[in-house]
PDB file of all heavy atoms in Angstrom:
ATOM      1  N   LEU A   5     127.129 -44.617  37.658  1.00 98.00           N
ATOM      2  CA  LEU A   5     126.713 -45.678  36.737  1.00 98.00           C
ATOM      3  C   LEU A   5     125.679 -45.144  35.750  1.00 98.00           C
ATOM      4  O   LEU A   5     125.752 -45.419  34.545  1.00 98.00           O
ATOM      5  CB  LEU A   5     126.137 -46.862  37.516  1.00 98.00           C
ATOM      6  CG  LEU A   5     125.628 -48.042  36.671  1.00 98.00           C
ATOM      7  CD1 LEU A   5     126.746 -48.636  35.823  1.00 98.00           C
ATOM      8  CD2 LEU A   5     125.001 -49.107  37.574  1.00 98.00           C
ATOM      9  N   ALA A  36     129.732 -47.991  28.431  1.00 98.00           N
ATOM     10  CA  ALA A  36     130.678 -47.106  27.748  1.00 98.00           C
ATOM     11  C   ALA A  36     131.021 -47.681  26.378  1.00 98.00           C
ATOM     12  O   ALA A  36     130.507 -48.728  25.984  1.00 98.00           O
ATOM     13  CB  ALA A  36     131.933 -46.922  28.594  1.00 98.00           C
ATOM     14  N   LEU A  64     153.337 -56.660  26.627  1.00 95.00           N
ATOM     15  CA  LEU A  64     154.104 -55.435  26.434  1.00 95.00           C
ATOM     16  C   LEU A  64     155.213 -55.604  25.401  1.00 95.00           C
ATOM     17  O   LEU A  64     155.853 -56.645  25.299  1.00 95.00           O
ATOM     18  CB  LEU A  64     154.715 -55.008  27.764  1.00 95.00           C
ATOM     19  CG  LEU A  64     155.231 -53.579  27.864  1.00 95.00           C
ATOM     20  CD1 LEU A  64     154.112 -52.575  27.645  1.00 95.00           C
ATOM     21  CD2 LEU A  64     155.885 -53.357  29.228  1.00 95.00           C
ATOM     22  N   GLU A  81     147.482 -33.368  29.003  1.00 98.00           N
ATOM     23  CA  GLU A  81     147.300 -32.023  28.455  1.00 98.00           C
ATOM     24  C   GLU A  81     145.826 -31.638  28.405  1.00 98.00           C
ATOM     25  O   GLU A  81     145.465 -30.483  28.640  1.00 98.00           O
ATOM     26  CB  GLU A  81     147.909 -31.975  27.050  1.00 98.00           C
ATOM     27  CG  GLU A  81     147.774 -30.672  26.309  1.00 98.00           C
ATOM     28  CD  GLU A  81     148.276 -30.779  24.879  1.00 98.00           C
ATOM     29  OE1 GLU A  81     149.273 -31.490  24.649  1.00 98.00           O
ATOM     30  OE2 GLU A  81     147.662 -30.159  23.980  1.00 98.00           O
ATOM     31  N   ASN A 118     147.483 -56.038  41.368  1.00 94.00           N
ATOM     32  CA  ASN A 118     147.510 -56.914  42.535  1.00 94.00           C
ATOM     33  C   ASN A 118     148.602 -56.445  43.489  1.00 94.00           C
ATOM     34  O   ASN A 118     149.374 -55.543  43.184  1.00 94.00           O
ATOM     35  CB  ASN A 118     147.660 -58.381  42.123  1.00 94.00           C
ATOM     36  CG  ASN A 118     148.967 -58.667  41.385  1.00 94.00           C
ATOM     37  OD1 ASN A 118     150.036 -58.158  41.739  1.00 94.00           O
ATOM     38  ND2 ASN A 118     148.891 -59.504  40.353  1.00 94.00           N
ATOM     39  N   ILE A 197     136.328 -51.296  33.984  1.00 98.00           N
ATOM     40  CA  ILE A 197     135.165 -50.730  34.667  1.00 98.00           C
ATOM     41  C   ILE A 197     135.579 -49.503  35.478  1.00 98.00           C
ATOM     42  O   ILE A 197     134.867 -48.489  35.516  1.00 98.00           O
ATOM     43  CB  ILE A 197     134.487 -51.783  35.554  1.00 98.00           C
ATOM     44  CG1 ILE A 197     134.094 -53.015  34.735  1.00 98.00           C
ATOM     45  CG2 ILE A 197     133.255 -51.187  36.236  1.00 98.00           C
ATOM     46  CD1 ILE A 197     133.249 -52.725  33.509  1.00 98.00           C
ATOM     47  N   VAL A 198     136.747 -49.569  36.106  1.00 98.00           N
ATOM     48  CA  VAL A 198     137.270 -48.397  36.831  1.00 98.00           C
ATOM     49  C   VAL A 198     137.469 -47.226  35.869  1.00 98.00           C
ATOM     50  O   VAL A 198     137.129 -46.080  36.186  1.00 98.00           O
ATOM     51  CB  VAL A 198     138.591 -48.757  37.542  1.00 98.00           C
ATOM     52  CG1 VAL A 198     139.308 -47.493  38.024  1.00 98.00           C
ATOM     53  CG2 VAL A 198     138.320 -49.693  38.716  1.00 98.00           C
ATOM     54  N   ALA A 203     135.667 -41.847  33.804  1.00 98.00           N
ATOM     55  CA  ALA A 203     135.150 -40.957  32.768  1.00 98.00           C
ATOM     56  C   ALA A 203     133.900 -40.216  33.237  1.00 98.00           C
ATOM     57  O   ALA A 203     133.524 -39.195  32.650  1.00 98.00           O
ATOM     58  CB  ALA A 203     134.837 -41.750  31.499  1.00 98.00           C
ATOM     59  N   GLY A 214     133.935 -46.990  43.182  1.00 98.00           N
ATOM     60  CA  GLY A 214     132.681 -47.336  42.525  1.00 98.00           C
ATOM     61  C   GLY A 214     132.853 -48.399  41.463  1.00 98.00           C
ATOM     62  O   GLY A 214     132.035 -49.328  41.340  1.00 98.00           O
ATOM     63  N   GLY A 220     132.597 -56.113  41.408  1.00 98.00           N
ATOM     64  CA  GLY A 220     132.441 -57.162  42.406  1.00 98.00           C
ATOM     65  C   GLY A 220     131.018 -57.667  42.505  1.00 98.00           C
ATOM     66  O   GLY A 220     130.773 -58.883  42.590  1.00 98.00           O
ATOM     67  N   GLU A 224     129.438 -61.453  41.776  1.00 98.00           N
ATOM     68  CA  GLU A 224     128.562 -62.188  42.683  1.00 98.00           C
ATOM     69  C   GLU A 224     127.295 -62.651  41.963  1.00 98.00           C
ATOM     70  O   GLU A 224     126.874 -63.806  42.104  1.00 98.00           O
ATOM     71  CB  GLU A 224     128.187 -61.293  43.861  1.00 98.00           C
ATOM     72  CG  GLU A 224     129.344 -60.944  44.781  1.00 98.00           C
ATOM     73  CD  GLU A 224     129.020 -59.839  45.757  1.00 98.00           C
ATOM     74  OE1 GLU A 224     127.879 -59.298  45.721  1.00 98.00           O
ATOM     75  OE2 GLU A 224     129.897 -59.511  46.571  1.00 98.00           O
TER      76      GLU A 224
END
Side-chain angles (χ1 to χ4, degrees):
L5 179 60
L64 196 61
E81 178 186 323
N118 62 41
I197 304 306
V198 167
E224 293 168 359

